[in-house]
Amino acid sequence: MEQGDPIRLIYLAVVLLIVGGWVFAKYRGRLAQALQQAILWLFLFAGAILLYGFKDDLQRQLIPSRAAVVSGDKIALARAPDGHFYATLAINGLDILFLVDTGATDVVLTQDDAKLVGIDPTRLRYFGTANTANGPVRTARIKLGTVTFADQTDRQVEAWVNDGEMHVSLLGMAYLSRYSSIEITGNSMYLKR
């Protein structure tokens, strides 16, 4: 037992006596109701403590796209429940969700994401072609004004808009090659500058 422990125990005992005395006086004759409410509050308090204890795990499960800077030169991404890694990048100041795809060559925006960042897909010239799992699709080359990922901002980043059906934008090697290494360990992907 440390030096301040007996004082803490006395303090807690006094607080417990005061609270217990108040509850007894307030609920005299209705102790069953008081016990019910005490148990309810106990479960609520325990639940709050459990949620707080698992907050990092819950955040990784509920918001897998949020990057966390592990150290000065490393970014960590958590594996999503579908087995993929996602990252949210701010394109021209707007958050866009990307599938981190080491098998993709370029940064590719969906039609919807292009519209969100202020690019009109109907005015683009689709001269490029990309070979996808669903076959070849037309692509249009664009420049993204600003791209912010974790704490790094790049300007005039080359990207493509896909003319085919795509559900999520892709973050390919053209952007990922800015990092000196990409490592997957367990359920985390680490990007090292």
Side-chain angles (χ1 to χ4, degrees):
M1 204 179 246
E2 290 186 25
Q3 188 174 1
D5 287 346
I7 295 171
R8 283 191 199 119
L9 286 174
I10 292 170
Y11 173 77
L12 288 174
V14 169
V15 169
L16 185 61
L17 281 171
I18 291 171
V19 171
W22 177 82
V23 168
F24 183 75
K26 174 102 172 136
Y27 290 98
R28 190 179 331 185
R30 300 177 293 158
L31 287 179
Q33 182 184 5
L35 186 60
Q36 259 183 343
Q37 289 183 0
I39 291 171
L40 175 67
W41 279 106
L42 181 67
F43 277 120
L44 288 173
F45 187 67
I49 290 172
L50 279 173
L51 283 175
Y52 183 78
F54 289 107
K55 72 179 171 66
D56 292 335
D57 292 332
L58 288 170
Q59 186 175 13
R60 279 195 293 275
Q61 290 295 319
L62 297 174
I63 314 170
S65 61
R66 293 287 177 212
V69 178
V70 175
S71 67
D73 65 344
K74 243 184 192 181
I75 298 170
L77 296 172
R79 186 184 306 271
D82 67 0
H84 296 288
F85 293 96
Y86 295 90
T88 299
L89 281 71
I91 308 296
N92 299 336
L94 297 166
D95 285 349
I96 302 295
L97 180 67
F98 284 86
L99 169 69
V100 180
D101 188 351
T102 58
T105 305
D106 297 301
V107 175
V108 183
L109 293 177
T110 65
Q111 298 267 317
D112 290 338
D113 287 346
K115 288 177 196 171
L116 281 175
V117 298
I119 298 166
D120 183 358
T122 62
R123 305 189 86 197
L124 296 175
R125 296 182 180 170
Y126 294 88
F127 291 133
T129 303
N131 292 313
T132 69
N134 295 327
V137 293
R138 297 181 321 143
T139 58
R141 184 177 173 202
I142 58 169
K143 290 275 187 180
L144 300 172
T146 60
V147 175
T148 303
F149 180 44
D151 60 349
Q152 179 177 329
T153 299
D154 297 296
R155 300 191 187 293
Q156 298 302 309
V157 175
E158 183 178 282
W160 300 83
V161 175
N162 187 335
D163 191 35
E165 178 137 350
M166 234 170 72
H167 300 294
V168 65
S169 294
L170 301 177
L171 189 64
M173 290 308 295
Y175 188 84
L176 295 172
S177 64
R178 296 165 192 261
Y179 297 91
S180 63
S181 71
I182 300 169
E183 177 186 340
I184 298 174
T185 304
N187 287 321
S188 296
M189 174 184 279
Y190 297 98
L191 305 172
K192 186 175 180 183
R193 293 188 185 121

